[in-house]
Amino acid sequence: MYLLKSAVWLTGFTLVYLLFLRDERFFMLKRMYLISGILISFIFPIITFHYQVEMVASEISAGELSVDFQDISSSGSIDYKYILLILYLSGILFFTLKLFWQARSLYITINKANINNLDQAKLIRTSEISSSFSFLNYVFINPSVNETEEKEIMNHELVHVHQKHWFDLFLVELLCMFQWANPFAWIYSRIIRLNHEYLADEAALQRSIHPAIYKATLLNQMFSSPVISLSNSFSYSLNKKRFDMMKKTDTSPYRKMKVLFVLPVFAFVF
């Protein structure tokens, strides 16, 4: 029942986002909304409301009440609860081991590489990765990129580091681990990662002297993929929509009130 309630909460937050918030440009507010959705799906299923209802029972004579009993033998029946439980726990174990294996491979890469300690992050240049990405306060860059591209990539990845996007990714990894059977959990994970890229693009373009060079750097990185799911890849979900989100357009602050569309979800679930 806890898992069912948690899935309902998350599904409600996902649907509200997809219907009303997906194309909005207030990325930081959307980040707060998405983090709240994860925390609420973890905590609120524990909350229950109890109330007392008094009903007047009708008088029933003993002769009017008859109950038929049937002897049911359960010796040969299959308890599907245990089968579902084993299947669910197997899924958790699989995704836990997968995450552990990815973290282990990244740990080995960090130990083998030369680390450049910068003021704001630790830079690792390694040919073992093809696409630049950040993890905690580490920034990984392939040595093949030139100096101009490296500057644009650092402007982007340092946003992930400063805003601590790893915290959101850690929460969403836990979410997918425990709700792996819920397709909306995986959709939610993609939404969070994409919003991180919007946030980083927005800040990086403000630092960049030549926005066209920044976009060209994105195109040069577009055929690569992240090494670990807890990292922010520079070229994650590079498509026309991501470039459209980089355009400077003024929107009414009242559009932020769209987040209040989640209130009917609270009313429905409770």
Side-chain angles (χ1 to χ4, degrees):
M1 184 56 65
Y2 171 85
L3 290 173
L4 177 61
K5 291 180 181 180
S6 180
V8 170
W9 275 114
L10 187 74
T11 300
F13 269 81
T14 307
L15 291 176
V16 170
Y17 183 93
L18 294 176
L19 291 174
F20 305 108
L21 304 176
R22 178 170 50 182
D23 296 327
E24 299 299 333
R25 300 174 186 271
F26 37 86
F27 306 123
M28 186 57 68
L29 179 61
K30 292 201 294 186
R31 183 192 180 192
M32 297 298 102
Y33 171 90
L34 293 169
I35 294 176
S36 300
I38 297 178
L39 296 177
I40 286 173
S41 67
F42 280 143
I43 300 172
F44 275 38
I46 303 175
I47 303 174
T48 57
F49 296 99
H50 301 277
Y51 55 92
Q52 184 176 354
V53 177
E54 296 183 0
M55 300 180 64
V56 179
S58 60
E59 295 183 0
I60 302 177
S61 62
E64 296 176 348
L65 184 63
S66 61
V67 180
D68 294 330
F69 293 95
Q70 183 180 1
D71 185 16
I72 301 176
S73 176
S74 59
S75 59
S77 62
I78 301 175
D79 195 340
Y80 292 100
K81 291 182 181 179
Y82 289 105
I83 296 177
L84 291 175
L85 178 62
I86 293 173
L87 181 63
Y88 170 70
L89 294 178
S90 299
I92 292 181
L93 179 62
F94 171 78
F95 288 108
T96 302
L97 292 176
K98 180 182 177 182
L99 188 63
F100 175 78
W101 182 261
Q102 292 175 331
R104 179 179 176 274
S105 64
L106 187 59
Y107 177 76
I108 294 174
T109 302
I110 293 175
N111 284 339
K112 292 193 304 182
N114 294 324
I115 301 177
N116 297 328
N117 292 311
L118 307 178
D119 293 336
Q120 301 169 318
K122 296 180 179 180
L123 176 62
I124 297 179
R125 295 184 179 90
T126 174
S127 58
E128 294 185 9
I129 59 103
S130 54
S131 175
S132 304
F133 67 95
S134 61
F135 174 71
L136 296 178
N137 62 333
Y138 293 93
V139 177
F140 296 79
I141 295 181
N142 191 290
S144 62
V145 301
N146 58 48
E147 184 178 352
T148 303
E149 287 183 333
E150 181 176 315
K151 182 178 180 181
E152 299 297 339
I153 292 173
M154 288 299 297
N155 284 338
H156 177 97
E157 297 300 336
L158 286 177
V159 179
H160 292 308
V161 174
H162 292 160
Q163 296 185 3
K164 302 187 186 305
H165 290 170
W166 63 265
F167 176 75
D168 311 26
L169 298 181
F170 175 73
L171 288 179
V172 80
E173 284 296 323
L174 287 180
L175 179 72
C176 291
M177 193 180 299
F178 288 101
Q179 288 197 32
W180 61 266
N182 179 14
F184 285 97
W186 301 101
I187 296 174
Y188 209 84
S189 175
R190 176 174 172 80
I191 289 172
I192 284 183
R193 296 174 192 278
L194 191 56
N195 192 63
H196 284 173
E197 299 312 313
Y198 293 157
L199 282 165
D201 289 337
E202 183 181 49
L205 283 172
Q206 294 175 357
R207 300 178 183 178
S208 178
I209 301 177
H210 302 288
I213 296 179
Y214 176 82
K215 295 178 181 180
T217 304
L218 275 175
L219 290 174
N220 290 339
Q221 298 279 316
M222 69 179 298
F223 295 107
S224 305
S225 59
V227 176
I228 183 173
S229 58
L230 285 177
S231 63
N232 290 103
S233 174
F234 179 70
S235 59
Y236 180 81
S237 188
L238 185 57
N239 51 32
K240 183 177 181 296
K241 184 175 179 61
R242 184 168 167 188
F243 281 106
D244 288 340
M245 285 295 187
M246 297 182 194
K247 298 176 182 177
K248 293 183 178 180
T249 56
D250 296 328
T251 57
S252 171
Y254 294 103
R255 297 178 69 90
K256 295 181 179 181
M257 297 183 67
K258 281 188 174 183
V259 297
L260 298 180
F261 281 114
V262 77
L263 293 181
V265 174
F266 283 74
F268 172 78
V269 178
F270 281 140

